[in-house]
Amino acid sequence: MLGMLALAELLGMSLWFVASAVSGQYQQRWQLSPAESAWLTTAVQLGFVAGTAISALLNLADIVPARRLFAFSAIGAAVSNALVLSAAGLSAALGWRLLTGLFLAGVYPPAMKMIATWFRARRGFAVGTIVGALTVGKALPYLVKAMPGATIANVTLAASAGAVLAALLVWTVYRDGPYAFPPRPFSWRLVGEVVGERRWRLAMGGYLGHMWELYAAWTWLPVFVAASVAAADHEGVRADTSAAVLAFAALAVGGVGCLWGGIVADRRGRAWLVNVSMGISGLCAVLIGLTYGRSLWLLAPVALVWGFFVIADSAQFSVMITESVPAHAVGTALTLQTSIGFLLTAGVIQLVPELVDRVGWPWAFTALALGPLAGIVSIRALVRAA
């Protein structure tokens, strides 16, 4: 069951960075600036926020069977993603990307809940596996983009096909495990009950520090790599190809990071794991700018270490959330968590190009280190409150 859900998440979440992977081609097609092309990713973030907010307010994750919610949402996201190809300009494309993000709100949080019904003692490892799979899934469009002759249509339709397969897998194979959460009737008070839990708020503080850094790093690292290669002017090195390959590697290595994080969290404790991961990833956000315009042999190791640790702790925040609220509120708590977190990411993604204009690539990522710093402070307070 863990393997099936991991595969389904990998395929379903491949829709997320489709437009980012081919953003250079969209810039040429529609004469977009870097900030305008970033909206192709930001729109997904905002759609995801809207979807998770609706789900949280209506308690969908706690009253609709997770299998049904996942399958319906994955199909909707696949269709919306494919319809981006019909867009004649940026405005129409943003509408379809927004809708894609909205449907993905029914793919990510329900999977966290579904796998939690199968694991209790090793829940950190299990959720880490799911987050690792979706991390690799988000990297897949960059791998497709790096293939010879890849076009916008190839990358887009490959991701949509994967999401349809994910829906079929969950619909036909999944069933709840022995630790299923009790069904809950609709209640407007459920969100207030979740927010009223102090341990949930402290866990959220750590999660928000993590999210401040994560999606801005994932969105802009490929652009940074391409700009760095171009600035170094390495003979025989194509900036777009090297950026796509390294972007895939830097994101995909996060899948290994999630597995490592899950194992270590179950052994050493979640708080220890998330603090170490945020400390290292925050340091990488500062150091990677020093590699700008230099050898790929210097840039690549920092990018890979950053990609490993920037996501290694992500699943553990979700586990902390499941452990900080009553069982009947787990689905709503996870959905509310992701809604707030992804709203934050939308702003930070748009902040990075502004920083590039003001201080340049060598220093633009430094501001991302503020998130992990704040997150560590919040998690230390959570430990003291336990």
Side-chain angles (χ1 to χ4, degrees):
M1 196 61 66
L2 177 59
M4 184 279 297
L5 281 176
L7 178 59
E9 278 293 284
L10 185 152
L11 294 170
M13 299 305 286
S14 66
L15 300 171
W16 202 287
F17 284 122
V18 168
S20 296
V22 291
S23 61
Q25 291 164 275
Y26 277 121
Q27 286 184 42
Q28 294 178 3
R29 176 181 291 186
W30 293 330
Q31 301 300 304
L32 305 178
S33 68
E36 287 174 325
S37 66
W39 278 103
L40 290 167
T41 297
T42 302
V44 179
Q45 313 290 119
L46 294 176
F48 189 85
V49 169
T52 50
I54 292 169
S55 181
L57 289 173
L58 299 180
N59 309 161
L60 294 181
D62 288 307
I63 62 177
V64 177
R67 176 177 70 101
R68 187 177 302 169
L69 181 59
F70 184 106
F72 171 81
S73 299
I75 293 293
V79 173
S80 301
N81 178 68
L83 287 171
V84 173
L85 297 175
S86 68
L90 179 62
S91 297
L94 291 181
W96 292 120
R97 293 295 287 163
L98 188 78
L99 195 58
T100 301
L102 187 145
F103 279 114
L104 286 175
V107 173
Y108 179 16
M112 300 297 102
K113 183 180 179 181
M114 284 191 285
I115 202 58
T117 70
W118 283 92
F119 290 84
R120 182 170 288 169
R122 301 297 304 280
R123 187 172 288 179
F125 169 75
V127 177
T129 301
I130 296 297
V131 175
L134 69 88
T135 300
V136 177
K138 289 180 179 180
L140 279 181
Y142 290 102
L143 181 62
V144 178
K145 170 62 171 62
M147 295 179 178
T151 64
I152 291 176
N154 298 150
V155 177
T156 301
L157 294 178
S160 288
V164 171
L165 180 57
L168 293 174
L169 277 173
V170 170
W171 183 260
T172 57
V173 178
Y174 177 78
R175 66 185 187 279
D176 281 336
Y179 310 114
F181 298 101
R184 168 79 178 193
F186 174 78
S187 171
W188 287 113
R189 293 191 296 271
L190 197 54
V191 172
E193 183 178 345
V194 168
V195 174
E197 292 280 352
R198 182 169 183 264
R199 293 179 65 237
W200 181 86
R201 296 196 302 271
L202 290 173
M204 274 295 295
Y207 175 72
L208 292 178
H210 158 75
M211 292 296 280
W212 172 272
E213 176 190 25
L214 178 61
Y215 275 83
W218 276 354
T219 300
W220 291 106
L221 184 58
V223 182
F224 172 87
V225 173
S228 178
V229 171
D233 194 25
H234 296 300
E235 185 177 351
V237 176
R238 288 187 56 194
D240 56 347
T241 302
S242 61
V245 172
L246 184 51
F248 169 76
L251 268 67
V253 75
V256 181
C258 289
L259 292 175
W260 172 84
I263 294 171
V264 172
D266 285 336
R267 293 178 178 175
R268 296 290 302 271
R270 281 179 255 289
W272 184 90
L273 181 278
V274 300
N275 284 336
V276 168
S277 294
M278 286 191 287
I280 296 175
S281 66
L283 180 62
C284 288
V286 175
L287 294 179
I288 197 164
L290 302 179
T291 70
Y292 182 78
R294 300 179 183 275
S295 169
L296 281 175
W297 291 106
L298 184 63
L299 168 58
V302 180
L304 292 172
V305 171
W306 196 11
F308 184 95
F309 283 102
V310 76
I311 188 65
D313 52 351
S314 189
Q316 306 316 311
F317 291 111
S318 295
V319 177
M320 287 178 174
I321 292 297
T322 68
E323 296 173 342
S324 68
V325 297
H328 66 262
V330 165
T332 295
L334 288 170
T335 305
L336 189 61
Q337 168 204 4
T338 52
S339 180
I340 297 172
F342 280 86
L343 181 60
L344 176 66
T345 67
V348 185
I349 287 172
Q350 295 300 133
L351 172 65
V352 171
E354 296 294 330
L355 292 174
V356 173
D357 287 342
R358 292 176 181 272
V359 300
W361 275 120
W363 300 105
F365 283 142
T366 303
L368 300 186
L370 297 175
L373 178 62
I376 290 172
V377 171
S378 188
I379 295 301
R380 288 174 65 88
L382 177 63
V383 172
R384 291 194 298 269

